[in-house]
Amino acid sequence: VVSTQSTGSVVSTQSTGPELVDRVAAMLNYNLQQLCGPKCADLKVQDPKKYGFQPRVLLSQITDIYINLDSEAFLDAVAGDERSYKPELLDLAVTRLTNANIKHHYQIQVFQGFAEKVKKKFEEKQQNGSRV
């Protein structure tokens, strides 16, 4: 997973090709689905400290990346990921962030705004009968 801590920011989607944007969106959606989706209870590590497995930190970092890459191209890519994106996926992340007190309220609101934009893009694509 791309970390925003080492560089201070994430590469803008405007400086990358559309195929990379699609791949990053799919990777983020897949990882988010593993952390917040229906099978998240199956995600267990016997010795989390040994492997550096910190799901709360990972969830926080993934949501930061979504927010930092917010652009029309990225919204299209997230909403168009047929493998992992479902309209409720980002809502599940918001619930997890809130219930586990992972981020400040303001940061959760920013992510929730991003989630609403993606959901709108998804619904537009559904109405037009096409996915990205």
Side-chain angles (χ1 to χ4, degrees), residues 13-121:
T13 56
Q14 296 170 351
S15 65
T16 60
E19 58 281 336
L20 184 59
V21 174
D22 290 341
R23 292 177 84 180
V24 169
M27 177 206 58
L28 291 170
N29 286 344
Y30 178 80
N31 282 290
L32 191 63
Q33 183 181 52
Q34 298 305 308
L35 288 171
C36 300
K39 296 183 181 180
C40 70
D42 298 340
L43 191 62
K44 295 185 184 193
V45 176
Q46 262 186 332
D47 189 359
K49 288 189 196 276
K50 178 179 177 183
Y51 298 105
F53 181 65
Q54 300 174 351
R56 289 176 180 219
V57 172
L58 186 57
L59 179 58
S60 179
Q61 290 173 336
I62 288 172
T63 56
D64 284 345
I65 295 168
Y66 276 113
I67 292 166
N68 287 327
L69 292 177
D70 187 352
S71 69
E72 285 300 313
F74 188 64
L75 292 170
D76 284 335
V78 172
D81 173 24
E82 295 180 7
R83 181 182 73 166
S84 300
Y85 179 76
K86 307 266 185 300
E88 63 275 1
L89 177 63
L90 300 178
D91 293 337
L92 289 169
V94 168
T95 300
R96 181 75 39 102
L97 291 168
T98 303
N99 292 347
N101 204 24
I102 295 172
K103 287 189 169 290
H104 295 289
H105 181 69
Y106 171 76
Q107 294 169 310
I108 294 171
Q109 284 181 322
V110 171
F111 182 71
Q112 194 164 22
F114 172 82
E116 289 170 9
K117 289 190 279 186
V118 172
K119 191 180 289 187
K120 183 177 179 186
K121 283 278 186 188

